[in-house]
Amino acid sequence: PVWNAVARGIFFFFYQGHRQAHFKRAILEGIGFSFRLLLEKLEKAGGEIDKIYASGGFIQSAWWVQLMSDILRKPLLVDKADADASAMGAIAIGLRAEGLISSWPEFATLVERAYTIYFPDDRSKEIYDSNYQHYNRLCQF
């Protein structure tokens, strides 16, 4: 999850009581931490981001979206119509090619938007902030 061709993955702070589910969760948390690192770089370059629009396959899991919101410390807005954003893009291109719409904003008026908002859980802030600091130290090369 880091931009280094020679980087290798590790699991840290584990003990014999951890099971497969713990390692699966750790992988998802690592993905979240890599996104948090990117988010911080974006904010440093362009200012604070107050919300994130999420799309793609991971939005099918409310649990994973909530985890990302908790790690990123930002509200995540999910539009179920965007679950297959690529298909929606193909539909828009087809409609425009056939002359059924004249502009991309016109397509947006044809799609109903209903967002579910996932807010960060304050109870998780301390643990994810601490684990993110460990992640950053481990990613320094």
Side-chain angles (χ1 to χ4, degrees):
V2 295
W3 302 107
N4 184 323
V6 297
R8 299 293 180 259
I10 65 166
F11 290 97
F12 64 98
F13 293 138
F14 70 93
Y15 67 100
Q16 67 184 14
H18 284 118
R19 300 289 177 246
Q20 186 178 32
H22 297 105
F23 290 92
K24 288 178 180 178
R25 181 183 180 119
I27 290 168
L28 297 180
E29 288 176 350
I31 292 167
F33 293 146
S34 68
F35 272 94
R36 184 166 167 176
L37 183 63
L38 291 171
L39 178 63
E40 288 178 354
K41 290 177 187 275
L42 285 170
E43 288 184 325
K44 185 176 181 182
E48 185 175 350
I49 295 170
D50 62 345
K51 62 187 170 215
I52 298 169
Y53 291 89
S55 67
F58 94 103
I59 69 169
Q60 299 303 313
S61 168
W63 180 86
W64 195 358
V65 177
Q66 184 62 56
L67 177 75
M68 291 294 286
S69 177
D70 293 345
I71 290 172
L72 298 175
R73 308 302 312 147
K74 304 284 183 184
L76 266 66
L77 286 75
V78 172
D79 182 353
K80 289 294 184 178
D82 281 343
D84 195 349
S86 297
M88 294 302 287
I91 291 167
I93 291 169
L95 290 172
R96 182 122 188 230
E98 290 296 316
L100 298 172
I101 59 171
S102 59
S103 68
W104 303 122
E106 185 179 348
F107 177 73
T109 66
L110 301 175
V111 180
E112 184 178 329
R113 297 288 188 216
Y115 292 102
T116 301
I117 304 174
Y118 295 81
F119 292 97
D121 185 343
D122 288 336
R123 295 174 296 178
S124 66
K125 182 182 185 327
E126 188 176 318
I127 189 72
Y128 283 128
D129 285 352
S130 174
N131 286 349
Y132 179 63
Q133 296 309 315
H134 292 297
Y135 171 86
N136 275 333
R137 281 194 296 278
L138 289 168
C139 288
Q140 301 302 315
F141 291 89

